[in-house]
Amino acid sequence: MLLRYALDVAPLWNTSEEFTEALNLLSPATQARVTKYHFTADRKLALGSQLLQRLVVSEIHSGGKPSASIPDLSSIPIIKDEKSGRPSYSPPPATEGQRWELKDYNVSHHNSRNPSLPCLVILVARVAPPSAGRQRVGVDVVPDAYNRSDSAQMFLESFRSSGVFTDYEVGIIFSPLRNDEKVKMLYLHWALKEAYVKAVGTGLVTNLLAIEFRGVNLHDTEDGAYKGVEVYINGEKRPEWKLEVGRLSRGHYFALALDGGDDWEGDTGEWKWIEFRKDIWDIWGEPVVN
């Protein structure tokens, strides 16, 4: 089963009092990981990420409310994997009758730097019975347009021989006539690469040219979540990897990668847009006071 959360932090925590109120839901050590960022938007994204991670753990392992095992969000230990750099949660030993366990999750965020667009944090989690084996997931969120000061053409050309995309992928990316559609295709391929390498745990420190995605097309992606993409590793098709790419919101696409096919035939979930006050504060709003 997949759980999908999305949080728009743009309208949230826009005063120091609001930010501090939400920050105090976390432990002092986690607060320091949030406040180390200089820019306000980066701090808000970091705060949103920490809250979403603990929200998904609480929903699976505490019924979405305080319990003896999880009395508050600050009691949930999220660690950083030394090898991959990914945050993770190690669930306690399963108890008799326990139905679900958090097997893996992944987070992504994007600051659009455009006040009219969402500033997003997204999380996708894989949930299965405790007896199920290892399951992996990676997710990435990207913009759907290039909004920087230099030209989109220069941006596109910088990726022709960048060591990121294969010759086949470059051909597909540059196949549309209009630059705005080429940019969309580039971002879709980039999101797929990110989601895949995050799922396998290598990050971008790997040979990206060994990873090739086929079947990406703009029309199906714009119509909704598209599952027709295939991944090839060193020229060999890897059907055990399931991929999804599509529009998440106005201004954003997402890509999702998971190994094994069970979730694709089962409950793949819908995106749940989290409301901070209703879904987090009203339930967990007794902050930890330093």
Side-chain angles (χ1 to χ4, degrees):
M1 179 171 69
L2 292 180
L3 298 178
R4 311 178 188 222
Y5 297 157
L7 175 67
D8 179 10
V9 302
L12 298 176
W13 317 316
N14 288 317
T15 68
S16 59
E17 292 79 12
E18 291 174 342
F19 183 84
T20 300
E21 180 183 67
L23 185 68
N24 281 337
L25 291 169
L26 306 171
S27 70
T30 305
Q31 291 179 28
R33 291 199 289 271
V34 171
T35 57
K36 71 178 182 179
Y37 294 101
H38 175 73
F39 294 107
T40 299
D42 294 331
R43 288 187 173 198
K44 290 170 62 174
L45 287 168
L47 176 55
S49 174
Q50 295 292 343
L51 291 172
L52 278 192
Q53 291 175 64
R54 285 160 176 81
L55 178 64
V56 72
V57 170
S58 73
E59 292 202 352
I60 297 164
H61 292 282
S62 186
K65 56 187 178 182
S67 66
S69 60
I70 301 180
D72 50 58
L73 294 183
S74 68
S75 67
I76 299 173
I78 303 293
I79 63 172
K80 187 174 183 179
D81 183 81
E82 292 184 2
K83 182 179 179 180
S84 67
R86 288 181 48 176
S88 63
Y89 171 75
S90 297
T95 58
E96 185 177 353
Q98 180 176 326
R99 185 180 180 191
W100 300 111
E101 182 177 81
L102 179 61
K103 293 297 184 179
D104 193 21
Y105 73 87
N106 196 224
V107 186
S108 182
H109 57 77
H110 183 258
N111 177 13
S112 64
R113 296 180 174 84
N114 183 334
S116 68
L117 293 176
C119 190
L120 292 181
V121 183
I122 65 173
L123 180 150
V124 176
R126 295 191 74 173
V127 182
S131 60
R134 182 187 185 193
Q135 299 183 3
R136 295 178 289 178
V137 64
V139 69
D140 195 46
V141 58
V142 292
D144 67 357
Y146 186 71
N147 296 314
R148 305 267 177 117
S149 58
D150 52 333
S151 71
Q153 183 63 38
M154 290 176 59
F155 171 69
L156 288 163
E157 291 298 331
S158 69
F159 281 94
R160 275 194 186 272
S161 303
S162 62
V164 174
F165 301 115
T166 67
D167 290 342
Y168 171 84
E169 290 171 328
V170 169
I172 298 299
I173 290 168
F174 281 85
S175 61
L177 295 177
R178 295 177 6 215
N179 273 350
D180 64 324
E181 293 186 340
K182 293 175 184 176
V183 167
K184 292 177 189 291
M185 289 294 283
L186 187 149
Y187 278 133
L188 289 171
H189 281 82
W190 177 268
L192 285 162
K193 296 252 181 180
E194 278 269 16
Y196 176 80
V197 299
K198 289 167 75 177
V200 299
T202 62
L204 292 176
V205 186
T206 189
N207 179 14
L208 295 177
L209 294 178
I211 308 165
E212 182 173 275
F213 295 95
R214 303 181 188 178
V216 182
N217 74 81
L218 204 53
H219 175 74
D220 289 327
T221 302
E222 291 291 349
D223 284 348
Y226 176 60
K227 300 176 182 176
V229 180
E230 300 172 330
V231 62
Y232 288 71
I233 308 299
N234 293 315
E236 180 182 349
K237 183 179 175 180
R238 300 295 295 270
E240 72 272 23
W241 283 95
K242 305 302 178 182
L243 304 157
E244 182 179 305
V245 63
R247 180 165 292 285
L248 177 64
S249 67
R250 183 173 59 90
H252 295 91
Y253 294 125
F254 77 93
L256 174 64
L258 64 154
D259 61 348
D262 292 345
D263 285 337
W264 243 222
E265 281 72 47
D267 185 0
T268 63
E270 299 291 334
W271 287 102
K272 178 180 179 181
W273 287 87
I274 299 299
E275 298 178 35
F276 171 70
R277 281 288 161 183
K278 177 173 71 71
D279 298 317
I280 299 177
W281 182 260
D282 288 351
I283 300 169
W284 300 95
E286 288 297 328
V288 175
V289 179
N290 296 334

